[in-house]
Amino acid sequence: MTHTCRRTAAALTAVLALALTACGSSDDSSETPSSPGTTAEPAPEETVDQDELDAALEEMGYPPEADAATEAAYIDALDAIDPRIDKDNPDSAVSRGRDTCRTIHDHPDDRAHQIEQTNIRFSHPDAPDGWGLATAEQILDVVHEHLCPTF
């Protein structure tokens, strides 16, 4: 396993571990104590260190989450290409954009691959095979400009 693969695997493990520790048991007051005369103490609530989670996601090639103004500019730029790209779910367009950032991160010198993956990732019922490579290239440029300009 290459060093990069080990780092990615370690980062993914960290993200999953943090996510799992964030899942606590529900506090259902209808539960009865296990033995008469005792009360069950709730488990301490575990929290996820957002900085650790952000660092793990960055290590995996994801950019930090964009603020509302950046997301709005990103959606406006996609709309300028073709409003159908994000008409059904702008949140999905942001998520797909962040995934595209990972492709840019993982394949920095392979623009053709980035464009192909963008075309696949941004498929839509109106364009089940993607919007075409020319449009995918425009989408890729918008993603890069707005969501991960440092990649």
Side-chain angles (χ1 to χ4, degrees), residues 84-103:
R84 297 174 297 165
I85 294 170
D86 62 47
K87 75 174 182 176
D88 294 331
N89 190 344
D91 290 337
S92 177
V94 171
S95 177
R96 290 175 182 190
R98 287 175 47 91
D99 288 339
T100 299
C101 287
R102 182 159 186 219
T103 301

Side-chain angles (χ1 to χ4, degrees), residues 36-83:
T38 64
T39 58
E41 289 186 34
E45 192 169 314
E46 296 183 35
T47 59
V48 174
D49 181 353
Q50 190 63 45
D51 290 337
E52 287 181 30
L53 181 60
D54 290 343
L57 288 170
E58 184 178 342
E59 179 71 26
M60 292 172 52
Y62 291 98
E65 288 193 29
D67 60 28
T70 302
E71 282 188 15
Y74 166 69
I75 295 299
D76 287 346
L78 290 178
D79 285 345
I81 296 168
D82 188 324

Side-chain angles (χ1 to χ4, degrees), residues 1 11 21 31 73 76 80 85 87 89 98 110 112-113 137 143:
M1 186 182 288
T21 60
E31 292 182 44
D76 287 346
I85 294 170
K87 75 174 182 176
N89 190 344
R98 287 175 47 91
D110 192 349
H113 180 75
E137 186 171 16
V143 167

